[in-house]
PDB file of all heavy atoms in Angstrom:
ATOM      1  N   ILE D  40      -1.552  -1.867  -2.334  1.00 98.00           N
ATOM      2  CA  ILE D  40      -1.586  -3.225  -2.842  1.00 98.00           C
ATOM      3  C   ILE D  40      -3.057  -3.735  -2.928  1.00 98.00           C
ATOM      4  O   ILE D  40      -3.448  -4.452  -3.878  1.00 98.00           O
ATOM      5  CB  ILE D  40      -0.769  -4.113  -1.876  1.00 98.00           C
ATOM      6  CG1 ILE D  40       0.683  -3.554  -1.754  1.00 98.00           C
ATOM      7  CG2 ILE D  40      -0.687  -5.636  -2.478  1.00 98.00           C
ATOM      8  CD1 ILE D  40       1.544  -3.483  -2.976  1.00 98.00           C
ATOM      9  N   ASP D  49     -19.793  -6.573  -0.613  1.00 97.00           N
ATOM     10  CA  ASP D  49     -20.259  -7.096   0.630  1.00 97.00           C
ATOM     11  C   ASP D  49     -21.219  -6.100   1.353  1.00 97.00           C
ATOM     12  O   ASP D  49     -22.263  -6.506   1.847  1.00 97.00           O
ATOM     13  CB  ASP D  49     -19.067  -7.414   1.627  1.00 97.00           C
ATOM     14  CG  ASP D  49     -18.239  -8.506   1.061  1.00 97.00           C
ATOM     15  OD1 ASP D  49     -18.584  -9.694   1.171  1.00 97.00           O
ATOM     16  OD2 ASP D  49     -17.209  -8.209   0.343  1.00 97.00           O
ATOM     17  N   MET D  64     -17.564   6.321   3.816  1.00 98.00           N
ATOM     18  CA  MET D  64     -17.634   6.861   5.156  1.00 98.00           C
ATOM     19  C   MET D  64     -16.940   5.986   6.208  1.00 98.00           C
ATOM     20  O   MET D  64     -16.195   6.513   7.082  1.00 98.00           O
ATOM     21  CB  MET D  64     -19.084   7.026   5.571  1.00 98.00           C
ATOM     22  CG  MET D  64     -19.246   7.675   6.913  1.00 98.00           C
ATOM     23  SD  MET D  64     -20.977   7.814   7.540  1.00 98.00           S
ATOM     24  CE  MET D  64     -21.686   8.962   6.346  1.00 98.00           C
ATOM     25  N   ALA D  67     -13.167   6.531   5.814  1.00 96.00           N
ATOM     26  CA  ALA D  67     -12.721   7.833   6.382  1.00 96.00           C
ATOM     27  C   ALA D  67     -12.791   7.852   7.943  1.00 96.00           C
ATOM     28  O   ALA D  67     -11.937   8.493   8.562  1.00 96.00           O
ATOM     29  CB  ALA D  67     -13.743   8.867   5.852  1.00 96.00           C
ATOM     30  N   ARG D  81      -4.495   7.184  23.029  1.00 95.00           N
ATOM     31  CA  ARG D  81      -5.373   6.012  23.306  1.00 95.00           C
ATOM     32  C   ARG D  81      -5.378   5.009  22.148  1.00 95.00           C
ATOM     33  O   ARG D  81      -6.270   4.614  21.561  1.00 95.00           O
ATOM     34  CB  ARG D  81      -6.853   6.454  23.434  1.00 95.00           C
ATOM     35  CG  ARG D  81      -6.991   7.354  24.720  1.00 95.00           C
ATOM     36  CD  ARG D  81      -8.482   7.859  24.839  1.00 95.00           C
ATOM     37  NE  ARG D  81      -9.377   6.765  25.037  1.00 95.00           N
ATOM     38  CZ  ARG D  81      -9.682   6.279  26.165  1.00 95.00           C
ATOM     39  NH1 ARG D  81      -9.102   6.703  27.254  1.00 95.00           N
ATOM     40  NH2 ARG D  81     -10.587   5.253  26.266  1.00 95.00           N
ATOM     41  N   GLU D 107     -24.874 -10.696  12.664  1.00 97.00           N
ATOM     42  CA  GLU D 107     -24.396 -11.456  11.486  1.00 97.00           C
ATOM     43  C   GLU D 107     -23.777 -10.519  10.462  1.00 97.00           C
ATOM     44  O   GLU D 107     -22.634 -10.768   9.915  1.00 97.00           O
ATOM     45  CB  GLU D 107     -25.507 -12.223  10.860  1.00 97.00           C
ATOM     46  CG  GLU D 107     -25.063 -13.082   9.621  1.00 97.00           C
ATOM     47  CD  GLU D 107     -26.267 -13.791   9.014  1.00 97.00           C
ATOM     48  OE1 GLU D 107     -27.389 -13.638   9.408  1.00 97.00           O
ATOM     49  OE2 GLU D 107     -25.940 -14.615   8.060  1.00 97.00           O
ATOM     50  N   PRO D 123      -5.469  -4.761  -9.663  1.00 97.00           N
ATOM     51  CA  PRO D 123      -5.185  -5.535 -10.841  1.00 97.00           C
ATOM     52  C   PRO D 123      -3.650  -5.571 -11.144  1.00 97.00           C
ATOM     53  O   PRO D 123      -3.109  -6.560 -11.679  1.00 97.00           O
ATOM     54  CB  PRO D 123      -5.920  -5.042 -11.930  1.00 97.00           C
ATOM     55  CG  PRO D 123      -7.208  -4.482 -11.298  1.00 97.00           C
ATOM     56  CD  PRO D 123      -6.688  -3.891  -9.997  1.00 97.00           C
ATOM     57  N   LYS D 133      10.490  -7.697  -6.613  1.00 96.00           N
ATOM     58  CA  LYS D 133      11.172  -8.735  -5.848  1.00 96.00           C
ATOM     59  C   LYS D 133      12.362  -9.321  -6.736  1.00 96.00           C
ATOM     60  O   LYS D 133      13.442  -9.585  -6.283  1.00 96.00           O
ATOM     61  CB  LYS D 133      10.176  -9.832  -5.545  1.00 96.00           C
ATOM     62  CG  LYS D 133      10.690 -10.910  -4.572  1.00 96.00           C
ATOM     63  CD  LYS D 133      10.725 -10.402  -3.150  1.00 96.00           C
ATOM     64  CE  LYS D 133      10.995 -11.533  -2.130  1.00 96.00           C
ATOM     65  NZ  LYS D 133      11.141 -11.051  -0.814  1.00 96.00           N
ATOM     66  N   ALA D 134      12.052  -9.496  -8.018  1.00 95.00           N
ATOM     67  CA  ALA D 134      13.059 -10.056  -8.936  1.00 95.00           C
ATOM     68  C   ALA D 134      14.292  -9.206  -9.156  1.00 95.00           C
ATOM     69  O   ALA D 134      15.291  -9.588  -9.402  1.00 95.00           O
ATOM     70  CB  ALA D 134      12.390 -10.424 -10.285  1.00 95.00           C
ATOM     71  N   PHE D 145      -2.673  -1.096   9.491  1.00 97.00           N
ATOM     72  CA  PHE D 145      -3.435  -2.353   9.720  1.00 97.00           C
ATOM     73  C   PHE D 145      -2.672  -3.206  10.831  1.00 97.00           C
ATOM     74  O   PHE D 145      -1.478  -3.205  10.880  1.00 97.00           O
ATOM     75  CB  PHE D 145      -3.332  -3.198   8.376  1.00 97.00           C
ATOM     76  CG  PHE D 145      -4.434  -2.916   7.365  1.00 97.00           C
ATOM     77  CD1 PHE D 145      -5.039  -1.656   7.389  1.00 97.00           C
ATOM     78  CD2 PHE D 145      -4.865  -3.858   6.549  1.00 97.00           C
ATOM     79  CE1 PHE D 145      -6.022  -1.431   6.467  1.00 97.00           C
ATOM     80  CE2 PHE D 145      -5.917  -3.665   5.647  1.00 97.00           C
ATOM     81  CZ  PHE D 145      -6.510  -2.363   5.602  1.00 97.00           C
ATOM     82  N   GLY D 213      10.972  12.403   5.867  1.00 98.00           N
ATOM     83  CA  GLY D 213      12.200  12.385   5.155  1.00 98.00           C
ATOM     84  C   GLY D 213      12.476  11.254   4.113  1.00 98.00           C
ATOM     85  O   GLY D 213      13.533  11.222   3.508  1.00 98.00           O
ATOM     86  N   ILE D 219       0.946   6.628  -5.076  1.00 98.00           N
ATOM     87  CA  ILE D 219       0.046   5.916  -6.047  1.00 98.00           C
ATOM     88  C   ILE D 219      -1.407   6.494  -5.823  1.00 98.00           C
ATOM     89  O   ILE D 219      -2.115   6.039  -4.962  1.00 98.00           O
ATOM     90  CB  ILE D 219      -0.012   4.402  -5.750  1.00 98.00           C
ATOM     91  CG1 ILE D 219       1.486   3.795  -5.734  1.00 98.00           C
ATOM     92  CG2 ILE D 219      -0.810   3.642  -6.858  1.00 98.00           C
ATOM     93  CD1 ILE D 219       2.221   3.964  -7.057  1.00 98.00           C
ATOM     94  N   SER D 237       1.706   8.834  -9.581  1.00 97.00           N
ATOM     95  CA  SER D 237       0.935   8.294 -10.826  1.00 97.00           C
ATOM     96  C   SER D 237      -0.318   7.584 -10.216  1.00 97.00           C
ATOM     97  O   SER D 237      -0.479   7.374  -9.068  1.00 97.00           O
ATOM     98  CB  SER D 237       1.766   7.239 -11.571  1.00 97.00           C
ATOM     99  OG  SER D 237       2.071   6.159 -10.772  1.00 97.00           O
TER     100      SER D 237
END
Side-chain angles (χ1 to χ4, degrees):
I40 308 301
D49 295 276
M64 182 183 291
R81 294 178 62 85
E107 181 181 5
K133 189 77 171 177
F145 273 29
I219 309 291
S237 66

